[in-house]
Amino acid sequence: MILIPPFLAEILPGILRVSAIVTVIALVFLFLCPNLIVSEIMYIMHLKRTKKEKWARECSCDDPTHVRMYNEGKEWISQFADKKVDVHIVNEGLNLYGEFYDLGATKTAILVSGRTEALEYSYYFSRPYILAGCNVLFIDQRAHGLSDGEYNTIGFEEHKDLIAWIEYLQKNHHTEAVYLHGCCIGASCCLFALTAQNKPDCVRGFVAEGMYPNFYESFKNHMIELKKPVFPGMAMINMMMVLHTGHSMKNGPIEVIDELTTPILMLHGTADLYSLPEKAECLYDKCGSENKNIIWFENGEHSLLRPLDSEKYDSAIITFIQEVEERERISA
């Protein structure tokens, strides 16, 4: 039998409680510290520009399909080289750059790329708009291409730049009507612009490819596909984004699409692993626009619909623009 001095017996429970608390804190720290480091690394890899060469104008990956899209786009746009005007604006202290192809029209399509891609990648998607009689503006979003910026804020800040570009077109390039085309994060950017308090009235139509309900959902699916742990990684990566930008991945298009009044054409693939088809259906059902349509591409993967069936893709956009203009003609 061990005899414990009376004074020690009195303070021992307190010592044990403090010891237990310290042990718990130490265990939590040992668990969280590596995860915080990994989460910060993941965040920087995917949503922070660490050098000018990152997310430059060149094709961002060596995937054969992406390379083909990039090369075909450059070949297509080269025939309009004499129509190109290098353009520049400043918004929120950032120098933003683009290319305007002036084909003499009073309507302009603005192509907004997804994450990691700058304006040259958007060349590939311009064909239907040029065939529909539009000028085209290609933009380097902030933190991409030649533009300034450090963070990709998945549309929350970029949409302000898009509104600034639209105002620039109206003032400087005889633009009366605008069509927006966004892929993935680009679609989110366009939607935020069209539901903002200072939304531009000149936007006649919006084409959204692979739009997600929120980036948290999309990125989580990406992590699952890569066989990386979702818990606690996703929550921590989102925490890093909030700390760096003030925005949460859990907010997104699903929360504002009911405020959309602009005609919208949604293009979506049945094999999209990042923005699941059932989530696209939810977006479509909640969309507030009276003029909305969704076109499905069988076996279409995320951001890879046009290579699957370029004729169907281009025809859908051209028809959409014609229908918008016909409704305007009738109501005039």
Side-chain angles (χ1 to χ4, degrees):
M1 181 177 180
I2 300 175
L3 295 176
I4 301 175
F7 79 91
L8 187 58
E10 290 180 8
I11 66 172
L12 187 59
I15 293 174
L16 292 175
R17 282 196 297 271
V18 171
S19 178
I21 292 171
V22 170
T23 300
V24 170
I25 292 173
L27 289 173
V28 170
F29 179 79
L30 289 172
F31 173 75
L32 286 180
C33 191
N35 282 288
L36 284 170
I37 294 171
V38 171
S39 299
E40 176 70 1
I41 292 171
M42 289 289 290
Y43 176 78
I44 290 172
M45 283 175 57
H46 293 282
L47 291 167
K48 183 177 180 181
R49 192 182 202 184
T50 51
K51 55 185 179 180
K52 203 69 174 179
E53 294 76 22
K54 187 175 182 179
W55 305 337
R57 286 189 172 181
E58 294 77 18
C59 188
S60 67
C61 69
D62 55 5
D63 174 79
T65 302
H66 284 82
V67 172
R68 177 168 67 85
M69 293 166 66
Y70 177 82
N71 290 335
E72 286 184 10
K74 291 201 74 170
E75 182 179 355
W76 157 257
I77 208 65
S78 65
Q79 63 187 299
F80 306 102
D82 61 326
K83 308 295 184 183
K84 185 181 81 167
V85 179
D86 290 315
V87 290
H88 163 253
I89 64 171
V90 177
N91 191 51
E92 297 190 333
L94 299 175
N95 288 291
L96 305 171
Y97 296 90
E99 293 177 358
F100 178 68
Y101 283 74
D102 189 346
L103 302 176
T106 57
K107 56 186 178 184
T108 298
I110 304 179
L111 283 293
V112 186
S113 298
R115 185 178 60 86
T116 78
E117 299 294 354
L119 68 78
E120 290 187 357
Y121 192 73
S122 294
Y123 294 160
Y124 179 75
F125 301 95
S126 65
R127 186 175 183 275
Y129 294 99
I130 291 177
L131 294 180
C134 298
N135 306 317
V136 184
L137 173 65
F138 303 100
I139 59 174
D140 285 334
Q141 292 214 71
R142 61 171 68 187
H144 289 71
L146 303 181
S147 292
D148 294 344
E150 188 176 4
Y151 296 101
N152 185 326
T153 70
I154 58 177
F156 289 112
E157 298 298 326
E158 290 85 351
H159 86 270
K160 302 172 188 176
D161 303 333
L162 182 56
I163 291 174
W165 276 117
I166 293 170
E167 292 171 348
Y168 167 82
L169 287 175
Q170 289 182 293
K171 293 176 182 177
N172 298 280
H173 292 286
H174 52 79
T175 295
E176 298 174 4
V178 170
Y179 291 90
L180 300 180
H181 180 110
C183 295
C184 187
I185 283 177
S188 178
C189 175
C190 294
L191 182 63
F192 289 152
L194 294 175
T195 54
Q197 288 188 343
N198 61 332
K199 64 181 179 182
D201 295 329
C202 64
V203 179
R204 299 292 186 263
F206 167 34
V207 177
E209 177 182 338
M211 186 160 57
Y212 49 70
N214 59 59
F215 190 69
Y216 188 94
E217 182 82 21
S218 178
F219 197 59
K220 180 186 74 175
N221 294 335
H222 181 64
M223 295 275 280
I224 291 172
E225 186 191 19
L226 294 176
K227 295 182 172 55
K228 294 184 178 180
V230 171
F231 178 83
M234 279 302 306
M236 290 186 168
I237 293 171
N238 187 49
M239 181 180 70
M240 294 302 174
M241 179 164 182
V242 173
L243 289 173
H244 284 291
T245 70
H247 298 289
S248 171
M249 296 179 187
K250 292 187 176 182
N251 299 323
I254 193 66
E255 290 159 338
V256 298
I257 199 167
D258 58 323
E259 302 171 20
L260 182 70
T261 57
T262 305
I264 180 173
L265 171 65
M266 293 176 61
L267 306 174
H268 218 89
T270 61
D272 193 326
L273 298 178
Y274 301 154
S275 180
L276 302 177
E278 56 266 31
K279 300 298 184 180
E281 291 279 10
C282 290
L283 284 168
Y284 180 80
D285 291 341
K286 193 179 179 185
C287 179
S289 177
E290 294 181 359
N291 298 298
K292 60 183 180 179
N293 190 22
I294 184 168
I295 293 181
W296 293 98
F297 287 74
E298 195 66 32
N299 299 318
E301 299 178 38
H302 188 71
S303 297
L304 296 174
L305 303 184
R306 191 167 183 267
L308 185 68
D309 191 340
S310 61
E311 183 177 344
K312 178 180 178 179
Y313 191 99
D314 294 356
S315 177
I317 293 173
I318 293 170
T319 299
F320 172 67
I321 293 174
Q322 291 172 341
E323 290 174 348
V324 168
E325 293 177 346
E326 179 62 17
R327 281 195 298 269
E328 288 188 346
R329 186 189 65 79
I330 292 173
S331 62

